[in-house]
Amino acid sequence: MDLSALKTALLVRDVGSFAAVARLLDLDASSVSRVIAQLEQDIGFRLFQRSTRSLAPTSEGELYLNRIAPLVEELEAAGDEARTTAISPRGILRMTASISFVQECLIPILPEFRKRYPEIDIELLASDANLDLRAEGVDLAVRFGSLPKGDWIVAKLMTTSYRVVASPEYIEEKGPLSHPDDLSERDCICFAIPGFRTYWQFRKGGDAESFSVPVGGATVISNALSIRSAARLGMGVALLPIMLVQRDLAKGTLLDLFPDHACAATSFETAAWLIYPSRSYLPQKVRVMIDFLKAEVRRSGS
Amino acid sequence: MDLSALKTALLVRDVGSFAAVARLLDLDASSVSRVIAQLEQDIGFRLFQRSTRSLAPTSEGELYLNRIAPLVEELEAAGDEARTTAISPRGILRMTASISFVQECLIPILPEFRKRYPEIDIELLASDANLDLRAEGVDLAVRFGSLPKGDWIVAKLMTTSYRVVASPEYIEEKGPLSHPDDLSERDCICFAIPGFRTYWQFRKGGDAESFSVPVGGATVISNALSIRSAARLGMGVALLPIMLVQRDLAKGTLLDLFPDHACAATSFETAAWLIYPSRSYLPQKVRVMIDFLKAEVRRSGS
DNA sequence: TCAAACTCATGCGTATTATGCATGAATGGA
DNA sequence: TCCATTCATGCATAATACGCATGAGTTTGA
């Protein structure tokens, strides 16, 4: 049963002639004749009684067509409205990012986003776990690290860099560190993610060769904000993204231990990445959030 | 947009896998993949987010499919119910017959029909006019005369014959008629139909040559029952079908003037004909009335 | 009353679409 | 790490849709 066949039948009912419907649809009348004949065969009863020059609906045909007309109309409307919803910024935007990114970067700018797009509701999944984006029904993810793999579309939001920091109290009590190699003998607060626990990477100057320093310590935390808090409390040395510590560095609550070195956990080529399901049929709500985040990054210059 | 594509999409939503749906429908998975892809292109947004080994509905997809699911179901139900109605004896049977046939033949047997088929309502169009059956939305017609022309199906209900009759009072007052030729000098009550007004046909014996007798009179009536009433009142000689006069003849209220002749208005090969739109997709209500009328004719032996 | 115009049905040939097979890329589970 | 499975897609073939041509029948206008 074809929906366009049903619409043709409804048109025949309204217009009263295969030939006239054929002219309206720019078809051959034989095609209309066959469409209706096939439909009658599919549904098992006759819709129209016809002679060589006229036709009229049968009583069953009339009942049936009157019944399906609103259904066909509503099916069309359902498609139109769903399409409109997909292309106009509305609905629930379900996104995920690390807890720290949510807290430090997203929450502060969400009021402006909500003000600009009042019809988009935000559902934030703050998680440091490597979520299954599809299973979680996520529209948009912000991920840090190397270029993510997979079939989802990836766009760079911003580059990131890391700093090795400690509190003034810690330095005063335990003494300064003159070189990254010294870290192997210090209490480091490590991130509970493979690659963050055991080696930190360093490079002095843009072209210089990088080197790894083994790190360890009594404290492993899964949450970057908590790592920052622990560092503030003098519990040790921490490697944290610049976005989390730039205010502490400015205030002097944390000190950048190796300002002449580029620092990283696993790779120097890290960034904040926007990850979304596909380019085709991208809902407008996702599109506008992507644009909004990119604009925010440009505005703040980081 | 195809209804079976929508049904496939609903099945994919429920089952969660192209491959599984393909197995259910005995299709190749590539066909399911293409059906969904085509549907997404037709409606202009993505229904399912998929990777190489899994898929999940998009939020728009979920909204859309939830909305159309009852519509699709109701379209199917509409077809099923209409088909059931067409094949089970129910609904309104709209039929037409001459006023006299309705009065003398149909009305008396309708109670039995209604008792047997209580869910069939009868709409009787009693008319001596040559109605446009299709325009009037007629399901079944009973017509007298020669074999009807046209594209509707025709089945003989019963043969008919005509008798020339007058009341005893008329004969007593005006004198008897010894031969049909005498009619041209008598007052005949004529039927207001071409072919009935100006000549009556006679034939004596099965193989004898027929002859026409010109008739006329001051009275032309469009209703056979009224012609009969007028004849009973002695207003003249009438040519009437046997079914209308057999009781009067038995009671002696009308006399058969030429019992040795076959009589006719236009042709000796006349009958009562059942006329219905087509053999294919014949609604059961029409079928059962046809069968009922034929059985009634067999039962009464006329 | 007759001829022309029109409608609907259908045969036929061609264009278009649907389908399965084969294959590749990617993912998930053992 | 490897194998099984899923989804996408190229390709060839099968199936269907379509227009053209034609015929039968009806309706309308001259």
Side-chain angles (χ1 to χ4, degrees):
Chain A
M1 197 194 301
D2 191 33
L3 212 52
S4 74
L6 296 178
K7 284 152 69 175
T8 300
L10 291 166
L11 208 46
V12 168
R13 178 196 62 169
D14 296 340
V15 172
S17 148
F18 290 174
V21 167
R23 284 191 290 275
L24 281 172
L25 301 179
D26 198 27
L27 289 171
D28 199 77
S30 58
S31 296
V32 177
S33 179
R34 287 197 173 102
V35 162
I36 300 301
Q38 184 61 57
L39 180 54
E40 285 170 336
Q41 190 180 331
D42 289 343
I43 61 185
F45 57 92
R46 188 171 288 282
L47 290 172
F48 301 102
Q49 201 52 244
R50 43 217 192 254
S51 79
T52 52
R53 267 207 79 170
S54 68
L55 56 72
T58 63
S59 58
E60 292 79 27
E62 192 123 32
L63 283 174
Y64 176 71
L65 292 174
N66 285 344
R67 180 152 173 210
I68 66 159
L71 300 176
V72 169
E73 214 169 301
E74 202 167 334
L75 273 173
E76 293 287 294
D80 291 341
E81 285 172 30
R83 185 162 39 250
T84 299
T85 300
I87 64 178
S88 79
R90 71 178 49 252
I92 299 172
L93 171 62
R94 187 174 167 86
M95 61 187 296
T96 187
S98 65
I99 297 169
S100 58
F101 186 85
V102 164
Q103 186 73 21
E104 296 291 314
C105 301
L106 280 183
I107 297 291
I109 61 175
L110 275 195
E112 175 60 24
F113 182 85
R114 287 282 297 139
K115 192 169 157 187
R116 196 178 299 185
Y117 302 104
E119 292 182 308
I120 299 181
D121 299 331
I122 308 291
E123 227 176 72
L124 273 177
L125 279 170
S127 173
D128 293 321
N130 198 15
L131 294 179
D132 183 329
L133 303 180
R134 189 187 334 276
E136 294 286 344
V138 162
D139 297 313
L140 177 65
V142 182
R143 284 278 171 76
F144 283 82
S146 306
L147 180 65
K149 291 186 173 56
D151 57 349
W152 282 40
I153 303 301
V154 174
K156 182 183 283 191
L157 175 59
M158 64 187 177
T159 56
T160 63
S161 60
Y162 287 79
R163 307 309 313 152
V164 175
V165 298
S167 68
E169 289 75 23
Y170 174 87
I171 296 306
E172 191 171 316
E173 179 183 342
K174 302 291 186 180
L177 290 81
S178 57
H179 192 271
D181 286 332
D182 297 338
L183 288 168
S184 54
E185 288 163 8
R186 293 299 188 101
D187 244 340
C188 295
I189 308 166
C190 296
F191 215 119
I193 288 182
F196 273 70
R197 297 171 190 257
T198 52
Y199 289 90
W200 293 351
Q201 319 295 324
F202 295 90
R203 188 171 63 207
K204 186 167 183 180
D207 294 332
E209 192 176 333
S210 65
F211 55 96
S212 291
V213 175
V215 293
T219 312
V220 174
I221 308 178
S222 66
N223 180 341
L225 294 178
S226 304
I227 291 174
R228 187 181 64 182
S229 300
R232 281 178 183 156
L233 293 175
M235 286 179 68
V237 181
L239 175 68
L240 290 168
I242 188 72
M243 71 176 186
L244 289 188
V245 296
Q246 62 189 359
R247 260 203 287 276
D248 283 89
L249 295 176
K251 291 194 313 190
T253 50
L254 287 173
L255 302 173
D256 189 344
L257 300 191
F258 308 111
D260 297 333
H261 288 76
C263 312
T266 54
S267 163
F268 291 96
E269 284 69 57
T270 59
W273 305 94
L274 293 167
I275 307 177
Y276 49 100
S278 77
R279 280 193 185 82
S280 47
Y281 312 114
L282 189 67
Q284 206 67 345
K285 63 190 179 186
V286 180
R287 165 60 40 212
V288 298
M289 174 58 86
I290 291 170
D291 293 344
F292 181 83
L293 290 175
K294 284 181 172 178
E296 188 62 26
V297 163
R298 283 197 296 273
R299 194 184 63 78
S300 68
S302 61
Chain B
M1 198 190 304
D2 191 31
L3 212 53
S4 75
L6 295 180
K7 282 152 66 175
T8 301
L10 290 166
L11 208 46
V12 167
R13 178 196 62 169
D14 296 340
V15 173
S17 148
F18 289 175
V21 167
R23 284 191 291 275
L24 282 174
L25 301 179
D26 198 27
L27 290 172
D28 201 79
S30 58
S31 297
V32 177
S33 179
R34 288 198 175 102
V35 162
I36 299 302
Q38 184 62 57
L39 180 55
E40 285 171 336
Q41 190 179 333
D42 290 344
I43 61 183
F45 58 93
R46 186 171 290 280
L47 291 172
F48 301 101
Q49 199 53 240
R50 42 215 190 256
S51 78
T52 52
R53 272 207 73 174
S54 67
L55 57 72
T58 62
S59 57
E60 292 78 26
E62 193 123 30
L63 285 173
Y64 176 71
L65 293 175
N66 285 345
R67 178 150 175 211
I68 65 157
L71 300 178
V72 168
E73 213 170 301
E74 202 166 332
L75 273 173
E76 293 285 293
D80 291 340
E81 285 170 31
R83 186 165 36 252
T84 300
T85 299
I87 66 179
S88 78
R90 69 176 52 253
I92 299 171
L93 172 61
R94 186 173 168 85
M95 61 186 296
T96 186
S98 65
I99 297 170
S100 58
F101 186 86
V102 164
Q103 186 73 20
E104 296 290 312
C105 300
L106 279 182
I107 297 291
I109 61 175
L110 274 196
E112 174 61 24
F113 182 85
R114 288 280 297 137
K115 193 168 154 186
R116 197 178 301 182
Y117 302 104
E119 292 182 310
I120 300 182
D121 299 332
I122 308 291
E123 224 176 75
L124 272 178
L125 277 172
S127 172
D128 292 321
N130 198 14
L131 294 179
D132 183 330
L133 302 180
R134 189 186 336 275
E136 293 287 345
V138 163
D139 295 314
L140 178 64
V142 181
R143 284 279 171 78
F144 283 83
S146 305
L147 179 64
K149 290 184 170 57
D151 58 349
W152 282 41
I153 303 301
V154 173
K156 182 182 282 190
L157 176 59
M158 62 190 180
T159 58
T160 65
S161 60
Y162 287 79
R163 306 307 316 152
V164 175
V165 298
S167 68
E169 289 76 23
Y170 175 85
I171 298 303
E172 192 171 316
E173 180 183 342
K174 300 292 184 183
L177 288 82
S178 57
H179 192 272
D181 286 333
D182 297 336
L183 288 169
S184 55
E185 290 165 8
R186 293 299 189 106
D187 242 339
C188 297
I189 307 168
C190 298
F191 214 119
I193 288 180
F196 273 69
R197 296 172 190 260
T198 51
Y199 290 90
W200 293 353
Q201 320 296 325
F202 294 90
R203 186 172 62 203
K204 187 170 184 181
D207 293 333
E209 193 175 331
S210 66
F211 54 96
S212 288
V213 175
V215 293
T219 311
V220 175
I221 307 179
S222 67
N223 178 342
L225 294 179
S226 302
I227 292 177
R228 186 181 66 181
S229 298
R232 281 175 182 161
L233 293 176
M235 286 179 68
V237 181
L239 175 69
L240 289 168
I242 188 74
M243 72 174 185
L244 290 188
V245 295
Q246 62 189 0
R247 256 200 293 273
D248 283 89
L249 295 178
K251 291 193 318 189
T253 50
L254 286 173
L255 302 173
D256 188 345
L257 300 190
F258 308 109
D260 297 332
H261 288 77
C263 314
T266 54
S267 162
F268 290 97
E269 284 71 56
T270 59
W273 305 96
L274 294 167
I275 306 176
Y276 48 101
S278 78
R279 280 193 184 81
S280 46
Y281 311 113
L282 188 66
Q284 205 69 345
K285 64 190 178 187
V286 179
R287 165 64 36 216
V288 298
M289 173 58 86
I290 292 171
D291 292 344
F292 181 83
L293 290 175
K294 285 182 170 179
E296 189 61 28
V297 161
R298 283 197 295 274
R299 196 186 61 79
S300 68
S302 61

